[in-house]
PDB file of all heavy atoms in Angstrom:
ATOM      1  N   TYR B  95      92.990 131.320  86.703  1.00  0.00           N
ATOM      2  CA  TYR B  95      91.909 130.751  85.916  1.00  0.00           C
ATOM      3  C   TYR B  95      92.456 129.826  84.829  1.00  0.00           C
ATOM      4  O   TYR B  95      93.612 129.932  84.410  1.00  0.00           O
ATOM      5  CB  TYR B  95      91.093 131.865  85.239  1.00  0.00           C
ATOM      6  CG  TYR B  95      90.580 132.905  86.200  1.00  0.00           C
ATOM      7  CD1 TYR B  95      91.219 134.143  86.320  1.00  0.00           C
ATOM      8  CD2 TYR B  95      89.465 132.669  86.999  1.00  0.00           C
ATOM      9  CE1 TYR B  95      90.769 135.103  87.200  1.00  0.00           C
ATOM     10  CE2 TYR B  95      89.005 133.630  87.889  1.00  0.00           C
ATOM     11  CZ  TYR B  95      89.665 134.837  87.991  1.00  0.00           C
ATOM     12  OH  TYR B  95      89.218 135.785  88.884  1.00  0.00           O
ATOM     13  N   LEU B  96      91.588 128.920  84.385  1.00  0.00           N
ATOM     14  CA  LEU B  96      91.891 128.107  83.218  1.00  0.00           C
ATOM     15  C   LEU B  96      90.614 128.009  82.382  1.00  0.00           C
ATOM     16  O   LEU B  96      89.645 127.379  82.805  1.00  0.00           O
ATOM     17  CB  LEU B  96      92.374 126.710  83.616  1.00  0.00           C
ATOM     18  CG  LEU B  96      92.830 125.830  82.438  1.00  0.00           C
ATOM     19  CD1 LEU B  96      94.105 126.406  81.808  1.00  0.00           C
ATOM     20  CD2 LEU B  96      93.083 124.392  82.888  1.00  0.00           C
ATOM     21  N   GLN B  97      90.625 128.658  81.233  1.00  0.00           N
ATOM     22  CA  GLN B  97      89.507 128.572  80.299  1.00  0.00           C
ATOM     23  C   GLN B  97      89.744 127.377  79.394  1.00  0.00           C
ATOM     24  O   GLN B  97      90.768 127.317  78.702  1.00  0.00           O
ATOM     25  CB  GLN B  97      89.393 129.852  79.473  1.00  0.00           C
ATOM     26  CG  GLN B  97      88.279 129.825  78.436  1.00  0.00           C
ATOM     27  CD  GLN B  97      86.900 129.757  79.064  1.00  0.00           C
ATOM     28  OE1 GLN B  97      86.594 130.475  80.008  1.00  0.00           O
ATOM     29  NE2 GLN B  97      86.044 128.888  78.524  1.00  0.00           N
ATOM     30  N   MET B  98      88.823 126.438  79.420  1.00  0.00           N
ATOM     31  CA  MET B  98      88.973 125.205  78.651  1.00  0.00           C
ATOM     32  C   MET B  98      87.868 125.125  77.600  1.00  0.00           C
ATOM     33  O   MET B  98      86.691 125.039  77.959  1.00  0.00           O
ATOM     34  CB  MET B  98      88.909 123.995  79.585  1.00  0.00           C
ATOM     35  CG  MET B  98      89.915 124.066  80.722  1.00  0.00           C
ATOM     36  SD  MET B  98      89.963 122.555  81.709  1.00  0.00           S
ATOM     37  CE  MET B  98      88.324 122.562  82.401  1.00  0.00           C
ATOM     38  N   ASN B  99      88.266 125.174  76.344  1.00  0.00           N
ATOM     39  CA  ASN B  99      87.319 125.099  75.234  1.00  0.00           C
ATOM     40  C   ASN B  99      87.526 123.822  74.433  1.00  0.00           C
ATOM     41  O   ASN B  99      88.574 123.182  74.521  1.00  0.00           O
ATOM     42  CB  ASN B  99      87.482 126.313  74.303  1.00  0.00           C
ATOM     43  CG  ASN B  99      87.201 127.619  74.998  1.00  0.00           C
ATOM     44  OD1 ASN B  99      86.377 127.694  75.922  1.00  0.00           O
ATOM     45  ND2 ASN B  99      87.876 128.680  74.569  1.00  0.00           N
ATOM     46  N   ASN B 100      86.532 123.474  73.633  1.00  0.00           N
ATOM     47  CA  ASN B 100      86.614 122.287  72.767  1.00  0.00           C
ATOM     48  C   ASN B 100      87.114 121.076  73.554  1.00  0.00           C
ATOM     49  O   ASN B 100      88.065 120.387  73.147  1.00  0.00           O
ATOM     50  CB  ASN B 100      87.518 122.573  71.577  1.00  0.00           C
ATOM     51  CG  ASN B 100      87.441 121.515  70.501  1.00  0.00           C
ATOM     52  OD1 ASN B 100      86.477 120.733  70.454  1.00  0.00           O
ATOM     53  ND2 ASN B 100      88.446 121.452  69.642  1.00  0.00           N
ATOM     54  N   LEU B 101      86.495 120.817  74.685  1.00  0.00           N
ATOM     55  CA  LEU B 101      86.950 119.743  75.571  1.00  0.00           C
ATOM     56  C   LEU B 101      86.814 118.378  74.925  1.00  0.00           C
ATOM     57  O   LEU B 101      85.885 118.121  74.137  1.00  0.00           O
ATOM     58  CB  LEU B 101      86.165 119.793  76.884  1.00  0.00           C
ATOM     59  CG  LEU B 101      86.663 120.880  77.854  1.00  0.00           C
ATOM     60  CD1 LEU B 101      85.602 121.221  78.881  1.00  0.00           C
ATOM     61  CD2 LEU B 101      87.949 120.429  78.532  1.00  0.00           C
ATOM     62  N   ARG B 102      87.755 117.511  75.276  1.00  0.00           N
ATOM     63  CA  ARG B 102      87.785 116.144  74.755  1.00  0.00           C
ATOM     64  C   ARG B 102      87.641 115.154  75.913  1.00  0.00           C
ATOM     65  O   ARG B 102      87.914 115.491  77.065  1.00  0.00           O
ATOM     66  CB  ARG B 102      89.118 115.893  74.049  1.00  0.00           C
ATOM     67  CG  ARG B 102      89.421 116.857  72.914  1.00  0.00           C
ATOM     68  CD  ARG B 102      90.843 116.717  72.441  1.00  0.00           C
ATOM     69  NE  ARG B 102      91.169 117.624  71.336  1.00  0.00           N
ATOM     70  CZ  ARG B 102      92.391 117.847  70.891  1.00  0.00           C
ATOM     71  NH1 ARG B 102      93.423 117.222  71.448  1.00  0.00           N
ATOM     72  NH2 ARG B 102      92.587 118.680  69.882  1.00  0.00           N
ATOM     73  N   VAL B 103      87.260 113.933  75.604  1.00  0.00           N
ATOM     74  CA  VAL B 103      87.111 112.908  76.640  1.00  0.00           C
ATOM     75  C   VAL B 103      88.421 112.740  77.405  1.00  0.00           C
ATOM     76  O   VAL B 103      88.434 112.572  78.624  1.00  0.00           O
ATOM     77  CB  VAL B 103      86.667 111.574  76.012  1.00  0.00           C
ATOM     78  CG1 VAL B 103      86.722 110.448  77.030  1.00  0.00           C
ATOM     79  CG2 VAL B 103      85.276 111.701  75.417  1.00  0.00           C
ATOM     80  N   GLU B 104      89.527 112.836  76.688  1.00  0.00           N
ATOM     81  CA  GLU B 104      90.845 112.643  77.323  1.00  0.00           C
ATOM     82  C   GLU B 104      91.258 113.809  78.230  1.00  0.00           C
ATOM     83  O   GLU B 104      92.300 113.742  78.871  1.00  0.00           O
ATOM     84  CB  GLU B 104      91.921 112.389  76.268  1.00  0.00           C
ATOM     85  CG  GLU B 104      92.031 113.441  75.204  1.00  0.00           C
ATOM     86  CD  GLU B 104      91.248 113.077  73.954  1.00  0.00           C
ATOM     87  OE1 GLU B 104      90.171 112.451  74.078  1.00  0.00           O
ATOM     88  OE2 GLU B 104      91.704 113.439  72.849  1.00  0.00           O
ATOM     89  N   ASP B 105      90.462 114.851  78.304  1.00  0.00           N
ATOM     90  CA  ASP B 105      90.728 115.946  79.242  1.00  0.00           C
ATOM     91  C   ASP B 105      90.155 115.641  80.629  1.00  0.00           C
ATOM     92  O   ASP B 105      90.357 116.415  81.576  1.00  0.00           O
ATOM     93  CB  ASP B 105      90.126 117.261  78.743  1.00  0.00           C
ATOM     94  CG  ASP B 105      90.796 117.763  77.476  1.00  0.00           C
ATOM     95  OD1 ASP B 105      92.032 117.664  77.372  1.00  0.00           O
ATOM     96  OD2 ASP B 105      90.066 118.255  76.584  1.00  0.00           O
ATOM     97  N   THR B 106      89.455 114.541  80.757  1.00  0.00           N
ATOM     98  CA  THR B 106      88.870 114.143  82.040  1.00  0.00           C
ATOM     99  C   THR B 106      89.952 113.923  83.094  1.00  0.00           C
ATOM    100  O   THR B 106      90.976 113.302  82.815  1.00  0.00           O
ATOM    101  CB  THR B 106      88.054 112.838  81.869  1.00  0.00           C
ATOM    102  OG1 THR B 106      86.930 113.109  81.040  1.00  0.00           O
ATOM    103  CG2 THR B 106      87.589 112.294  83.208  1.00  0.00           C
ATOM    104  N   GLY B 107      89.711 114.442  84.295  1.00  0.00           N
ATOM    105  CA  GLY B 107      90.656 114.235  85.376  1.00  0.00           C
ATOM    106  C   GLY B 107      90.496 115.251  86.482  1.00  0.00           C
ATOM    107  O   GLY B 107      89.585 116.085  86.461  1.00  0.00           O
ATOM    108  N   VAL B 108      91.396 115.167  87.442  1.00  0.00           N
ATOM    109  CA  VAL B 108      91.449 116.147  88.522  1.00  0.00           C
ATOM    110  C   VAL B 108      92.440 117.233  88.117  1.00  0.00           C
ATOM    111  O   VAL B 108      93.560 116.933  87.698  1.00  0.00           O
ATOM    112  CB  VAL B 108      91.890 115.490  89.842  1.00  0.00           C
ATOM    113  CG1 VAL B 108      92.028 116.549  90.931  1.00  0.00           C
ATOM    114  CG2 VAL B 108      90.901 114.407  90.256  1.00  0.00           C
ATOM    115  N   TYR B 109      92.037 118.469  88.248  1.00  0.00           N
ATOM    116  CA  TYR B 109      92.870 119.611  87.889  1.00  0.00           C
ATOM    117  C   TYR B 109      93.317 120.317  89.167  1.00  0.00           C
ATOM    118  O   TYR B 109      92.486 120.747  89.984  1.00  0.00           O
ATOM    119  CB  TYR B 109      92.109 120.578  86.993  1.00  0.00           C
ATOM    120  CG  TYR B 109      91.985 120.062  85.568  1.00  0.00           C
ATOM    121  CD1 TYR B 109      91.174 118.970  85.275  1.00  0.00           C
ATOM    122  CD2 TYR B 109      92.700 120.654  84.533  1.00  0.00           C
ATOM    123  CE1 TYR B 109      91.082 118.483  83.975  1.00  0.00           C
ATOM    124  CE2 TYR B 109      92.608 120.180  83.225  1.00  0.00           C
ATOM    125  CZ  TYR B 109      91.794 119.088  82.959  1.00  0.00           C
ATOM    126  OH  TYR B 109      91.709 118.603  81.670  1.00  0.00           O
ATOM    127  N   TYR B 110      94.632 120.416  89.325  1.00  0.00           N
ATOM    128  CA  TYR B 110      95.225 121.046  90.503  1.00  0.00           C
ATOM    129  C   TYR B 110      95.769 122.428  90.154  1.00  0.00           C
ATOM    130  O   TYR B 110      96.444 122.599  89.132  1.00  0.00           O
ATOM    131  CB  TYR B 110      96.380 120.208  91.043  1.00  0.00           C
ATOM    132  CG  TYR B 110      96.012 118.844  91.564  1.00  0.00           C
ATOM    133  CD1 TYR B 110      96.251 117.696  90.814  1.00  0.00           C
ATOM    134  CD2 TYR B 110      95.454 118.697  92.836  1.00  0.00           C
ATOM    135  CE1 TYR B 110      95.934 116.438  91.305  1.00  0.00           C
ATOM    136  CE2 TYR B 110      95.131 117.441  93.333  1.00  0.00           C
ATOM    137  CZ  TYR B 110      95.370 116.320  92.561  1.00  0.00           C
ATOM    138  OH  TYR B 110      95.056 115.073  93.050  1.00  0.00           O
ATOM    139  N   CYS B 111      95.503 123.367  91.041  1.00  0.00           N
ATOM    140  CA  CYS B 111      96.121 124.691  90.993  1.00  0.00           C
ATOM    141  C   CYS B 111      97.384 124.601  91.834  1.00  0.00           C
ATOM    142  O   CYS B 111      97.341 124.104  92.983  1.00  0.00           O
ATOM    143  CB  CYS B 111      95.138 125.708  91.565  1.00  0.00           C
ATOM    144  SG  CYS B 111      95.785 127.361  91.861  1.00  0.00           S
ATOM    145  N   VAL B 112      98.525 125.059  91.301  1.00  0.00           N
ATOM    146  CA  VAL B 112      99.803 124.826  91.971  1.00  0.00           C
ATOM    147  C   VAL B 112     100.678 126.073  91.941  1.00  0.00           C
ATOM    148  O   VAL B 112     100.838 126.702  90.891  1.00  0.00           O
ATOM    149  CB  VAL B 112     100.577 123.662  91.312  1.00  0.00           C
ATOM    150  CG1 VAL B 112     101.707 123.214  92.216  1.00  0.00           C
ATOM    151  CG2 VAL B 112      99.662 122.490  90.999  1.00  0.00           C
ATOM    152  N   ARG B 113     101.273 126.399  93.080  1.00  0.00           N
ATOM    153  CA  ARG B 113     102.193 127.526  93.183  1.00  0.00           C
ATOM    154  C   ARG B 113     103.604 127.080  92.841  1.00  0.00           C
ATOM    155  O   ARG B 113     104.017 125.966  93.192  1.00  0.00           O
ATOM    156  CB  ARG B 113     102.168 128.092  94.606  1.00  0.00           C
ATOM    157  CG  ARG B 113     102.951 129.376  94.782  1.00  0.00           C
ATOM    158  CD  ARG B 113     102.874 129.889  96.215  1.00  0.00           C
ATOM    159  NE  ARG B 113     103.810 129.214  97.103  1.00  0.00           N
ATOM    160  CZ  ARG B 113     104.075 129.614  98.340  1.00  0.00           C
ATOM    161  NH1 ARG B 113     103.445 130.669  98.835  1.00  0.00           N
ATOM    162  NH2 ARG B 113     104.940 128.961  99.097  1.00  0.00           N
ATOM    163  N   GLU B 114     104.354 127.973  92.217  1.00  0.00           N
ATOM    164  CA  GLU B 114     105.721 127.659  91.814  1.00  0.00           C
ATOM    165  C   GLU B 114     106.729 128.370  92.705  1.00  0.00           C
ATOM    166  O   GLU B 114     106.502 129.499  93.147  1.00  0.00           O
ATOM    167  CB  GLU B 114     105.919 128.081  90.355  1.00  0.00           C
ATOM    168  CG  GLU B 114     107.211 127.643  89.725  1.00  0.00           C
ATOM    169  CD  GLU B 114     107.161 127.784  88.206  1.00  0.00           C
ATOM    170  OE1 GLU B 114     106.089 127.550  87.613  1.00  0.00           O
ATOM    171  OE2 GLU B 114     108.183 128.137  87.619  1.00  0.00           O
ATOM    172  N   ILE B 115     107.851 127.697  92.957  1.00  0.00           N
ATOM    173  CA  ILE B 115     108.963 128.303  93.699  1.00  0.00           C
ATOM    174  C   ILE B 115     109.854 129.029  92.717  1.00  0.00           C
ATOM    175  O   ILE B 115     110.402 128.412  91.807  1.00  0.00           O
ATOM    176  CB  ILE B 115     109.814 127.225  94.394  1.00  0.00           C
ATOM    177  CG1 ILE B 115     109.022 126.502  95.471  1.00  0.00           C
ATOM    178  CG2 ILE B 115     111.054 127.860  95.008  1.00  0.00           C
ATOM    179  CD1 ILE B 115     109.816 125.396  96.134  1.00  0.00           C
ATOM    180  N   GLY B 116     110.036 130.311  92.854  1.00  0.00           N
ATOM    181  CA  GLY B 116     110.976 131.076  92.059  1.00  0.00           C
ATOM    182  C   GLY B 116     110.945 130.716  90.596  1.00  0.00           C
ATOM    183  O   GLY B 116     109.892 130.638  89.972  1.00  0.00           O
ATOM    184  N   SER B 117     112.144 130.441  90.040  1.00  0.00           N
ATOM    185  CA  SER B 117     112.229 130.098  88.620  1.00  0.00           C
ATOM    186  C   SER B 117     112.800 128.699  88.433  1.00  0.00           C
ATOM    187  O   SER B 117     113.412 128.398  87.416  1.00  0.00           O
ATOM    188  CB  SER B 117     113.119 131.115  87.902  1.00  0.00           C
ATOM    189  OG  SER B 117     114.412 131.125  88.496  1.00  0.00           O
ATOM    190  N   THR B 118     112.578 127.862  89.405  1.00  0.00           N
ATOM    191  CA  THR B 118     113.173 126.518  89.359  1.00  0.00           C
ATOM    192  C   THR B 118     112.243 125.453  88.824  1.00  0.00           C
ATOM    193  O   THR B 118     112.619 124.295  88.728  1.00  0.00           O
ATOM    194  CB  THR B 118     113.601 126.083  90.769  1.00  0.00           C
ATOM    195  OG1 THR B 118     112.425 125.912  91.573  1.00  0.00           O
ATOM    196  CG2 THR B 118     114.497 127.120  91.411  1.00  0.00           C
ATOM    197  N   SER B 119     111.026 125.810  88.500  1.00  0.00           N
ATOM    198  CA  SER B 119     109.998 124.865  88.048  1.00  0.00           C
ATOM    199  C   SER B 119     109.491 123.948  89.150  1.00  0.00           C
ATOM    200  O   SER B 119     108.664 123.079  88.895  1.00  0.00           O
ATOM    201  CB  SER B 119     110.493 124.007  86.871  1.00  0.00           C
ATOM    202  OG  SER B 119     110.712 124.787  85.734  1.00  0.00           O
ATOM    203  N   SER B 120     109.988 124.100  90.362  1.00  0.00           N
ATOM    204  CA  SER B 120     109.467 123.315  91.475  1.00  0.00           C
ATOM    205  C   SER B 120     108.141 123.900  91.920  1.00  0.00           C
ATOM    206  O   SER B 120     107.961 125.120  91.923  1.00  0.00           O
ATOM    207  CB  SER B 120     110.442 123.333  92.645  1.00  0.00           C
ATOM    208  OG  SER B 120     111.643 122.698  92.299  1.00  0.00           O
ATOM    209  N   MET B 121     107.229 123.035  92.327  1.00  0.00           N
ATOM    210  CA  MET B 121     105.885 123.487  92.698  1.00  0.00           C
ATOM    211  C   MET B 121     105.610 123.093  94.141  1.00  0.00           C
ATOM    212  O   MET B 121     105.530 121.894  94.441  1.00  0.00           O
ATOM    213  CB  MET B 121     104.874 122.884  91.720  1.00  0.00           C
ATOM    214  CG  MET B 121     105.069 123.425  90.311  1.00  0.00           C
ATOM    215  SD  MET B 121     103.999 122.699  89.059  1.00  0.00           S
ATOM    216  CE  MET B 121     104.873 121.184  88.737  1.00  0.00           C
ATOM    217  N   ASP B 122     105.471 124.092  95.012  1.00  0.00           N
ATOM    218  CA  ASP B 122     105.501 123.807  96.437  1.00  0.00           C
ATOM    219  C   ASP B 122     104.159 123.802  97.144  1.00  0.00           C
ATOM    220  O   ASP B 122     104.059 123.283  98.251  1.00  0.00           O
ATOM    221  CB  ASP B 122     106.446 124.783  97.151  1.00  0.00           C
ATOM    222  CG  ASP B 122     105.943 126.214  97.139  1.00  0.00           C
ATOM    223  OD1 ASP B 122     105.169 126.572  96.222  1.00  0.00           O
ATOM    224  OD2 ASP B 122     106.346 126.987  98.044  1.00  0.00           O
ATOM    225  N   VAL B 123     103.138 124.395  96.576  1.00  0.00           N
ATOM    226  CA  VAL B 123     101.816 124.397  97.214  1.00  0.00           C
ATOM    227  C   VAL B 123     100.786 123.941  96.188  1.00  0.00           C
ATOM    228  O   VAL B 123     100.710 124.513  95.095  1.00  0.00           O
ATOM    229  CB  VAL B 123     101.441 125.786  97.751  1.00  0.00           C
ATOM    230  CG1 VAL B 123     100.053 125.737  98.387  1.00  0.00           C
ATOM    231  CG2 VAL B 123     102.471 126.259  98.778  1.00  0.00           C
ATOM    232  N   TRP B 124     100.018 122.929  96.576  1.00  0.00           N
ATOM    233  CA  TRP B 124      99.017 122.342  95.693  1.00  0.00           C
ATOM    234  C   TRP B 124      97.625 122.493  96.314  1.00  0.00           C
ATOM    235  O   TRP B 124      97.454 122.286  97.523  1.00  0.00           O
ATOM    236  CB  TRP B 124      99.300 120.849  95.478  1.00  0.00           C
ATOM    237  CG  TRP B 124     100.583 120.546  94.774  1.00  0.00           C
ATOM    238  CD1 TRP B 124     101.858 120.827  95.218  1.00  0.00           C
ATOM    239  CD2 TRP B 124     100.730 119.898  93.517  1.00  0.00           C
ATOM    240  NE1 TRP B 124     102.783 120.391  94.297  1.00  0.00           N
ATOM    241  CE2 TRP B 124     102.116 119.809  93.250  1.00  0.00           C
ATOM    242  CE3 TRP B 124      99.832 119.368  92.580  1.00  0.00           C
ATOM    243  CZ2 TRP B 124     102.622 119.215  92.075  1.00  0.00           C
ATOM    244  CZ3 TRP B 124     100.329 118.773  91.425  1.00  0.00           C
ATOM    245  CH2 TRP B 124     101.705 118.706  91.190  1.00  0.00           C
ATOM    246  N   GLY B 125      96.647 122.811  95.483  1.00  0.00           N
ATOM    247  CA  GLY B 125      95.270 122.782  95.942  1.00  0.00           C
ATOM    248  C   GLY B 125      94.780 121.348  96.034  1.00  0.00           C
ATOM    249  O   GLY B 125      95.509 120.403  95.701  1.00  0.00           O
ATOM    250  N   ARG B 126      93.535 121.179  96.480  1.00  0.00           N
ATOM    251  CA  ARG B 126      92.973 119.839  96.592  1.00  0.00           C
ATOM    252  C   ARG B 126      92.461 119.317  95.255  1.00  0.00           C
ATOM    253  O   ARG B 126      92.220 118.123  95.104  1.00  0.00           O
ATOM    254  CB  ARG B 126      91.838 119.821  97.605  1.00  0.00           C
ATOM    255  CG  ARG B 126      92.295 120.026  99.029  1.00  0.00           C
ATOM    256  CD  ARG B 126      91.157 119.787 100.008  1.00  0.00           C
ATOM    257  NE  ARG B 126      91.624 119.828 101.390  1.00  0.00           N
ATOM    258  CZ  ARG B 126      90.870 119.549 102.432  1.00  0.00           C
ATOM    259  NH1 ARG B 126      89.603 119.203 102.273  1.00  0.00           N
ATOM    260  NH2 ARG B 126      91.371 119.614 103.654  1.00  0.00           N
ATOM    261  N   GLY B 127      92.288 120.201  94.302  1.00  0.00           N
ATOM    262  CA  GLY B 127      91.866 119.786  92.976  1.00  0.00           C
ATOM    263  C   GLY B 127      90.373 119.914  92.737  1.00  0.00           C
ATOM    264  O   GLY B 127      89.577 119.921  93.681  1.00  0.00           O
TER     265      GLY B 127
END
Side-chain angles (χ1 to χ4, degrees):
Chain B
Y95 306 101
L96 185 67
Q97 178 65 45
M98 305 186 296
N99 298 329
N100 192 19
L101 281 160
R102 303 169 179 169
V103 171
E104 55 264 35
D105 294 320
T106 294
V108 176
Y109 285 70
Y110 296 102
C111 170
V112 194
R113 187 180 81 169
E114 189 165 324
I115 295 178
S117 58
T118 67
S119 294
S120 295
M121 294 176 280
D122 67 334
V123 179
W124 296 63
R126 291 189 173 186

